[in-house]
Amino acid sequence: LAKKAGRSCFRFYTTAIQEKAARHLQLVNALRVALEQQQLSIHYQPQLSMADGRLVGAEALLRWAHPELGHISPAEFIPVAEDCGLILPLGEWVLRHAVRQARQWREQGLELVMAVNLSAVQFRQPDLPALVARILQEEGLPASALELELTEGVAMYDPQQAIAVMNALHEQGVRMSIDDFGTGYSSLNLLKQFRVYKLKIDQSFVRDIVTDPEDRAIVAAIIDMAENLGLLTIAEGVETGEQLSWLRAQGCDELQGYLFSRPLPAAAFAAYAQQHQPATALLRS
Ligand code: C2E
Ligand code: MG
Ligand code: MG
Ligand code: MG
């Protein structure tokens, strides 16, 4: 009986792997078409200053609406794109369009920092600083209005190369932040050499800060350390007033989450910015 159960378990397992491989292949093929057929768009999520509730930034988040498969999460298709190399044209597309959007908003009087997610694969390209400089120049956006969100994994492959790329971007005036901080392979020693100006506290820590003493200790330590290193902090995934008050008491600098707004299509973001009342934004606690 045990043998039988073991075998069906194994069969179940291989089927799951086959299904996963089939889905992977399906997404690779679909992604190629998506780039050509304009199935991709970008949503923008507001980032607010804790000090005065002002709208200070927007994070560009890629969206994919496939005609048959429906909406596919970037959490699923970004890793696929990284595996098959499509992340390079995809990443360049996001960068160009987010920079273009930031410039258009600037012309309309909406000044904010545009934060764009970069894959570690993009970050490994030696010509990344040149590409960023070219896009900024062609689209007419000052480098100081662009922030690149990196994950802790960028340094795993080749720390020295990562530092060289960071130095080049820093010299251009582009800002860099570490996304999902605390979830990856962080070397605190590398943090010292990185030209980072902001840490994004991962939402998995923020979720339970009101109830979980361990998450609370971790977030408090990140904010403390950042302050001592002269870095800013932004909390991701802020959903409740209780989380907001605790983060305020801890001295977190910026906020992002559903409590303020979900990621929005460009037109809806502009409307949000127009209606946004800095004074009342932080009074929800
Ligand atoms: P991320 O960069 O950490 O982005 C934050 C994610 O949290 C977004 O998910 C956002 O919609 C979600 N979020 C924001 N506020 C809240 C909240 O209050 N509660 C909850 N539960 N979630 C919140 P999204 O848009 O599904 O993106 C998932 C991930 O996909 C991103 O995580 C990022 O790692 C990746 N990604 C998205 N766009 C791009 C892109 O253009 N390039 C690259 N390389 N990665 C991207
Ligand atoms: Mg991000
Ligand atoms: Mg994040
Ligand atoms: Mg994430």
Side-chain angles (χ1 to χ4, degrees):
L1 199 86
K3 219 175 176 179
K4 221 175 167 186
R7 270 181 68 170
S8 69
C9 189
F10 176 72
R11 206 174 307 134
F12 172 76
Y13 193 63
T14 46
T15 310
I17 289 174
Q18 279 164 359
E19 273 166 18
K20 213 177 156 214
R23 169 84 172 172
H24 188 98
L25 199 63
Q26 182 183 38
L27 291 185
V28 169
N29 292 325
L31 259 179
R32 291 215 171 87
V33 179
L35 260 172
E36 289 156 18
Q37 295 189 352
Q38 293 160 6
Q39 296 166 8
L40 302 170
S41 64
I42 304 174
H43 283 193
Y44 300 91
Q45 188 174 33
Q47 299 179 328
L48 308 191
S49 149
M50 180 76 88
D52 54 13
R54 268 186 330 116
L55 177 63
V56 289
E59 178 174 2
L61 293 157
L62 194 52
R63 294 291 177 260
W64 180 15
H66 187 274
E68 280 110 46
L69 302 172
H71 286 274
I72 302 165
S73 162
E76 183 180 11
F77 72 76
I78 293 286
V80 173
E82 284 174 335
D83 282 352
C84 68
L86 276 173
I87 192 66
L88 293 179
L90 204 64
E92 184 173 338
W93 184 90
V94 174
L95 190 59
R96 182 173 294 280
H97 284 83
V99 163
R100 185 175 296 167
Q101 185 61 73
R103 195 253 301 148
Q104 284 170 359
W105 280 337
R106 255 166 199 252
E107 286 169 357
Q108 297 158 18
L110 175 55
E111 287 213 1
L112 38 75
V113 172
M114 179 62 75
V116 178
N117 291 283
L118 268 203
S119 154
V121 177
Q122 288 173 277
F123 199 76
R124 261 178 239 148
Q125 307 304 307
D127 64 348
L128 178 72
L131 175 71
V132 170
R134 193 170 71 238
I135 288 178
L136 285 169
Q137 203 253 326
E138 286 170 0
E139 301 297 336
L141 188 75
S144 60
L146 177 65
E147 175 182 323
L148 300 176
E149 295 193 4
L150 317 169
T151 55
E152 290 161 289
V154 294
M156 266 174 70
Y157 180 71
D158 183 350
Q160 288 318 311
Q161 204 253 345
I163 290 168
V165 170
M166 278 203 168
N167 282 339
L169 288 166
H170 179 79
E171 268 156 37
Q172 290 173 27
V174 174
R175 302 178 189 190
M176 282 158 287
S177 58
I178 306 266
D179 204 356
D180 308 336
F181 187 76
T183 61
Y185 175 85
S186 2
S187 155
L188 298 181
N189 183 43
L190 276 174
L191 198 58
K192 204 177 68 178
Q193 302 173 59
F194 275 4
R195 299 295 199 151
V196 162
Y197 97 117
K198 197 195 280 180
L199 302 181
K200 299 199 75 180
I201 304 168
D202 190 64
Q203 47 183 281
S204 63
F205 301 122
V206 174
R207 193 178 308 127
D208 299 323
I209 40 172
V210 176
T211 51
D212 186 332
E214 285 177 357
D215 286 339
R216 230 199 289 236
I218 290 170
V219 174
I222 293 174
I223 293 173
D224 250 33
M225 180 188 68
E227 206 174 289
N228 289 324
L229 290 174
L231 306 174
L232 294 181
T233 47
I234 180 166
E236 298 191 289
V238 181
E239 294 185 355
T240 71
E242 288 80 13
Q243 292 167 339
L244 168 60
S245 338
W246 190 85
L247 289 162
R248 180 195 284 130
Q250 270 330 294
C252 183
D253 298 299
E254 293 177 7
L255 303 152
Q256 181 180 344
Y258 295 169
L259 178 62
F260 311 103
S261 172
R262 288 183 175 257
L264 301 167
F269 184 96
Y272 171 91
Q274 225 160 30
Q275 289 155 17
H276 179 72
Q277 301 287 339
T280 52
L282 301 181
L283 292 180
R284 299 171 199 217
S285 39

